[in-house]
Amino acid sequence: MGATTHLLDLQALDLAIDRLRARQHAIESGAELTAARAEADAAEARYGEHKLQLDVLDRDTTKVEHEVDSLTQKAAAEQARMASGAVANARELEAIGHEIANLRRRIADREDELLAIMERREAIEVGAAEALGVASERREHAEQVRAASSEELTSVESELSEREAERPAVVATITPETLEMYEDLRPLKKGVAAAALVDNVCQGCHEQLSAVELDHVRHAGGIPRCEHCRRILVL
C-alpha cells in the first residue's frame, strides 16, 4: 500500500513537470510573441494605408492649387487686357468677358474640389491618428510580451530543474513492477496513470466502484486498478 501511496506523489510531480515542459515549449516556440508582433505589424500597416491616402490627397491638393493659381492669373490678365483700352472691338471685348466668366467658373469648381479634398483629408487624419495610437499600443504590447516571455522562461526553467531533481528520490520509493506499469499507462491516460480512491470513487475517471468491484480490487492481489479506466488505484 505504501508503494502506491508514494505513487500519488510521483503522479503530482510528473503532472507539474508536464505542465512546465509544455509552458517551456510554448515560450520557446515564440507563438505568443509572434502573434503579438503580427498584431502590431497589422496595426502599423493600417496606419501606413492612411498615410498613403494622405500622400495622394496632398498631391491632389498641390495639383488643384496650381490649376487655381494658373486660372486666376489668366483671369487677371484677361481682366487687365479688357480694362486697358487696348481692345476696342465690341465683339472681342464680349469674347474676353465670356472668357473671364468661364475662367471664374473653372476657378470656383477647382476651389470646391479643394474644399472636398480638405474635408476628406481631415477625416483621414482622424483615422490615421487613431491607427497610429493602436499601432503604438500593439508595438508596446509586443515588447512587453517579449520581456515577459524572457523572464517567465527563466522562471519556468528553474522550477522545471527543481521538479526534475526531486523525481529520482520519489521514484526510489516505488517498486519496479508498479513503476513500470505507471510509466506504461501514463501516455495512454493523458499523463494520469495513478488515482486515489475517495469514497469508492476513482479520482481518475470519476466513476464509482460498486461493492463487488471494490471487493475485487481489494482482494484480487497485485497492483490495484480501477475496474473502469484501468488506472492504478491508491486505496
Side-chain angles (χ1 to χ4, degrees):
M1 183 170 177
T4 53
T5 301
H6 288 298
L7 199 58
L8 286 182
D9 296 333
L10 179 61
Q11 179 67 85
L13 187 58
D14 280 341
L15 287 176
I17 290 172
D18 289 345
R19 175 183 60 79
L20 290 166
R21 284 176 177 168
R23 186 59 189 152
Q24 180 187 37
H25 176 73
I27 297 171
E28 289 177 340
S29 69
E32 293 180 10
L33 180 56
T34 298
R37 283 175 171 167
E39 289 181 357
D41 290 343
E44 288 176 351
R46 286 191 289 273
Y47 171 66
E49 291 172 359
H50 283 83
K51 287 289 292 178
L52 286 175
Q53 292 180 50
L54 289 175
D55 289 343
V56 170
L57 289 177
D58 286 343
R59 287 196 296 271
D60 289 345
T61 297
T62 300
K63 177 183 175 183
V64 175
E65 284 177 343
H66 284 324
E67 290 181 4
V68 169
D69 185 58
S70 176
L71 291 171
T72 300
Q73 290 181 28
K74 288 181 179 178
E78 291 297 318
Q79 185 69 45
R81 191 158 72 97
M82 175 183 282
S84 67
V87 180
N89 185 281
R91 287 190 176 182
E92 190 173 350
L93 287 171
E94 184 180 359
I96 293 173
H98 285 310
E99 178 63 14
I100 292 172
N102 181 55
L103 289 168
R104 286 174 177 168
R105 281 194 299 271
R106 291 172 64 187
I107 291 170
D109 289 343
R110 292 297 177 273
E111 288 176 341
D112 288 343
E113 189 176 342
L114 266 181
L115 181 61
I117 291 172
M118 290 172 62
E119 290 174 349
R120 288 202 301 274
R121 197 182 196 289
E122 287 177 3
I124 293 173
E125 280 181 333
V126 172
E130 292 175 353
L132 179 59
V134 172
S136 298
E137 289 176 2
R138 297 285 169 81
R139 188 57 65 191
E140 182 179 352
H141 174 65
E143 179 57 27
Q144 290 171 348
V145 171
R146 185 201 63 74
S149 295
S150 177
E151 183 177 337
E152 185 183 3
L153 181 59
T154 300
S155 175
V156 167
E157 288 175 339
S158 176
E159 187 178 353
L160 180 59
S161 295
E162 292 175 7
R163 296 292 175 266
E164 289 176 335
E166 294 173 16
R167 196 175 192 274
V170 179
V171 167
T173 66
I174 301 168
T175 64
E177 180 187 7
T178 302
L179 183 62
E180 182 180 5
M181 181 179 291
Y182 169 82
E183 298 289 10
D184 288 342
L185 283 173
R186 279 247 303 154
L188 302 176
K189 301 297 180 180
K190 298 180 179 179
V192 181
L197 183 68
V198 180
D199 295 330
N200 298 343
V201 175
C202 170
Q203 299 305 297
C205 63
H206 303 290
E207 292 287 343
Q208 185 169 15
L209 276 68
S210 66
V212 173
E213 290 171 334
L214 186 59
D215 182 70
H216 181 265
V217 168
R218 290 185 184 281
H219 300 99
I223 301 170
R225 299 179 68 181
C226 175
E227 294 290 314
H228 299 278
C229 66
R230 304 304 295 157
R231 288 181 172 89
I232 301 171
L233 278 181
V234 178
L235 306 178

